[in-house]
Amino acid sequence: MRRVRSVNGWLLAGAVGLTGVLSEIAAQAAPGRSVKGATGSKVTGTASTTQTTATAGSSAAAARRRAARRHAATTTADEQAQATQQAQAAAQQAQADQQAQLQAQQQAQQQAQLQAAQQAPQSSSASSGSVSGGS
């Protein structure tokens, strides 16, 4: 019982550790987004207008970068989903191949048994025929 408890404890610790590692990998693959406050303020004057225009331009660039990251994350997620589906399809195909191979083996065994059963009476009648022919 102690050994089972120890194994269960190690399995639980391994599962928690693996969960942490996988979540770290996911966090690196799809980083979060932070929301920044508006940096430009509406103040009258030429310098202020120039600053607001520059801020709007940088905000547009930032929005484009965010959109590109979102698109990349979506594309990556789609590619991962497609890879998962392909792996599942390959696993299903491998399972179907194994089942077909097993069925073929079973059929071959049944045919071999059937042939052996058919040959057994023939060999016994051939041996009895040679005995009767010799007498």
Side-chain angles (χ1 to χ4, degrees):
M1 279 309 252
R2 286 182 188 173
R3 191 176 279 172
V4 171
R5 288 182 189 151
S6 177
V7 169
N8 283 342
W10 280 108
L11 285 175
L12 180 61
V16 170
L18 185 61
T19 301
V21 169
L22 291 176
S23 65
E24 182 64 27
I25 290 171
Q28 293 293 328
R33 294 169 183 77
S34 61
V35 179
K36 298 180 181 177
T39 56
S41 60
K42 189 171 184 177
V43 178
T44 58
T46 308
S48 174
T49 305
T50 304
Q51 181 183 6
T52 305
T53 304
T55 303
S58 65
S59 295
R64 285 192 299 272
R65 286 191 300 271
R66 286 191 302 271
R69 280 193 300 254
R70 262 187 254 121
H71 176 70
T74 303
T75 302
T76 302
D78 291 343
E79 289 171 352
Q80 288 175 349
Q82 186 178 11
T84 301
Q85 289 175 349
Q86 288 174 348
Q88 288 174 346
Q92 289 174 350
Q93 183 62 40
Q95 187 177 10
D97 290 345
Q98 284 180 337
Q99 288 177 350
Q101 187 177 13
L102 181 63
Q103 287 176 349
Q105 288 175 349
Q106 289 174 347
Q107 287 176 351
Q109 287 175 351
Q110 288 174 353
Q111 287 177 353
Q113 289 173 353
L114 185 63
Q115 287 176 352
Q118 288 175 351
Q119 289 177 355
Q122 290 175 357
S123 63
S124 65
S125 66
S127 62
S128 65
S130 62
V131 171
S132 63
S135 312

